[in-house]
Amino acid sequence: MVPVEYYLVLSAAVFSIGLYGLLTRENALFFLMSVELMLNAANINFIAFSAQWGNLTGQTFSLFVMALAAAEVAVGIGIILVLYRNFKDVDVTVPQEMRW
């Protein structure tokens, strides 16, 4: 049995990488990937504590987070496509405001 502390360290590392990517990148695709890393870090925590306590609540929350991540990607890809169509770039610092 792997101790839960190992999962917490893994989750903290994945979350830190996602946060670093979110704060330092200017590409919208990297934003989406960084948010996905942060959500997966939360999933690791949910599943680790679910396994430690012996119930399925954490796994259920993890499934909801996965559904939320899928919806976030669908909306995010749509926004990125509009950004690329209007500005020919996916750099988030280029558009000051998106107009109709």
Side-chain angles (χ1 to χ4, degrees):
M1 180 78 182
V2 179
V4 73
E5 290 85 13
Y6 291 166
Y7 292 113
L8 295 178
V9 169
L10 174 66
S11 174
V14 171
F15 188 85
S16 299
I17 292 169
L19 184 63
Y20 176 76
L22 191 68
L23 294 175
T24 58
R25 301 294 179 164
E26 295 177 350
N27 191 331
L29 290 174
F30 284 116
F31 274 5
L32 282 178
M33 287 190 287
S34 297
V35 170
E36 289 294 323
L37 281 174
M38 293 168 70
L39 289 172
N40 283 330
N43 283 341
I44 292 171
N45 279 335
F46 284 144
I47 292 175
F49 285 120
S50 176
Q52 181 187 14
W53 291 330
N55 61 12
L56 296 176
T57 306
Q59 294 177 10
T60 305
F61 276 114
S62 180
L63 287 174
F64 283 120
V65 170
M66 284 185 210
L68 176 79
E72 176 254 335
V73 166
V75 171
I77 292 294
I79 292 171
I80 289 172
L81 287 173
V82 169
L83 186 68
Y84 183 75
R85 188 181 322 147
N86 290 339
F87 299 102
K88 302 295 185 232
D89 195 11
V90 290
D91 186 5
V92 293
T93 60
V94 172
Q96 295 298 321
E97 62 185 53
M98 293 184 74
R99 299 179 186 197
W100 294 99

